[in-house]
Amino acid sequence: MVKDGKASSKDRLAIFEAKAQFSGKKAKARLQDAVDGSAKDIARKAESLNAIKQRLHGRNELDDAEKIERFQNEVDHPYKEVYGAVALFENPLFDGHLTSSTDASSHPHSGDLALVVIKGDQMMALVHELYRRAADEA
């Protein structure tokens, strides 16, 4: 949101589909999977926004719930949607040739679809640590 508490047509709703491969022996086309999944996100947008807002209400985070609500009325409060596909890899499972063959031409937002690839060492260890921290917070 450009300015807290005030809707602007310059506000952006970023909708990204992420797929990961942190284990296995052979690289998979996870960026293509993310692109294909992202095409379905258009239909899931309303349900996802409502679920996020309900979770925030349940945790009594009303200010954040109000921010989500802003994106549930595009007719009265227009905004820009930004779509993207993300693939995350453990370094040994990243295949640049496979990733570069990703085809986004059939995506409804193919002209401005953001493609992101993240790779690194010990990605699964990072995931486990994030889950551990989240469990400790609960």
Side-chain angles (χ1 to χ4, degrees), residues 19-30 33 87-95 98 118-120 123-124:
K19 300 292 182 183
Q21 184 180 9
F22 297 148
S23 62
K25 298 199 183 301
K26 185 178 177 192
K28 297 178 183 174
R30 298 308 279 162
D33 294 340
L88 301 104
F89 296 96
E90 186 75 31
N91 271 335
L93 295 168
F94 174 75
D95 180 336
L98 189 58
I118 300 170
K119 61 188 185 85
M123 296 292 276
M124 188 55 93

